[in-house]
Amino acid sequence: MAPDAAPRDLSAPAALARLGHRATGRPALLRDGPVSRSYRVDLAGAGPAVLRIDRRGPRPGPTLAAALGLDRGAEHRLLAALAPAGLGPAPIAVDPAAGLLLRAWVPGPTWAEGRPPTLAVAGRALARVHRWRAPAGLLPARDWRATLARYAALAGPAAEAAFADAAARLADLPPDPQGQEGVTCHHDPLPQNVARRGGVFLDWEYAALGNPLFDLAVLGLG
């Protein structure tokens, strides 16, 4: 199927077929978010996996994830580098044009389930992420103004005032002590995105080089 022939809304079985896989049993919806839907699927001959299907906007064109600057192909390559270090799930298949990503299932509960981790446990897990050095060119530097602009463009005129306020606050921040390069940051380490077993981080779609204090702040919000 040609990249521009992707249907507007793929079902989980159709998405798996496009990726060259099929499920045994019924896919289970894990998360239904504004940008994508995630399913647990049991792949024939390969066991459990997570399938993410990106939503498409109201007009023909890229997926909402792509409009927000998320690159599923780059995420797939990043997971391939992270998995051997025990920091992320192994990738299985990807179709960036269709907004599809298939990755290995990480067993066990997340930090959001049961008693929250101690500060020491959370700090050690995040420190492993921040110490990891990505291969050259694999991670971009986070451009927060461009990120804000993408979200504002999707939100439309109603977001103009909020974008202007956020952009002004961003401009008032002191220089980043990490400099222009920064370190590997997950940028979405909410408790539901970290598996208790091994402290494996899930959903690396927002990963980029940045300031590790941002990850600490996001974890605190969770």
Side-chain angles (χ1 to χ4, degrees):
M1 185 181 295
D4 60 355
R8 282 195 54 79
D9 294 302
L10 283 168
S11 66
L16 286 174
R18 185 176 174 105
L19 293 172
H21 292 268
R22 65 181 180 85
T24 60
R26 187 187 182 100
L29 182 65
L30 297 173
R31 190 178 302 174
D32 191 1
V35 174
S36 63
R37 304 185 307 280
S38 296
Y39 296 86
R40 171 175 168 151
V41 294
D42 290 300
L43 300 179
V50 172
L51 170 67
R52 188 163 59 213
I53 305 175
D54 289 336
R55 297 185 183 277
R56 294 191 173 269
R59 296 182 297 276
T63 62
L64 290 176
L68 290 174
L70 306 181
D71 184 336
R72 297 306 183 203
E75 184 180 356
H76 185 267
R77 294 189 294 273
L78 176 61
L79 290 179
L82 287 163
L87 291 173
I92 299 173
V94 68
D95 185 336
L100 306 177
L101 180 70
L102 186 64
R103 58 126 171 123
W105 172 263
V106 178
T110 66
W111 281 354
E113 301 168 83
R115 181 178 296 179
T118 64
L119 185 59
V121 168
R124 284 195 296 268
L126 278 176
R128 290 179 61 225
V129 171
H130 299 152
R131 286 195 301 264
W132 187 75
R133 294 293 179 260
L138 189 59
L139 280 177
R142 173 62 66 207
D143 184 339
W144 289 111
R145 186 174 181 84
T147 299
L148 286 172
R150 290 190 188 100
Y151 276 82
L154 283 177
E160 288 180 359
F163 168 69
D165 179 66
R169 291 173 182 268
L170 189 63
D172 285 341
L173 289 176
D176 189 340
Q178 293 294 324
Q180 294 299 313
E181 293 185 2
V183 302
T184 300
C185 289
H186 185 277
H187 285 128
D188 194 24
L190 293 171
Q192 61 265 32
N193 283 337
V194 190
R196 284 186 179 276
R197 183 183 297 180
V200 177
F201 286 75
L202 314 174
D203 295 344
W204 285 81
E205 58 191 348
Y206 296 107
L209 299 176
N211 190 322
L213 293 178
F214 184 93
D215 276 354
L216 289 172
V218 172
L219 184 60
L221 290 174

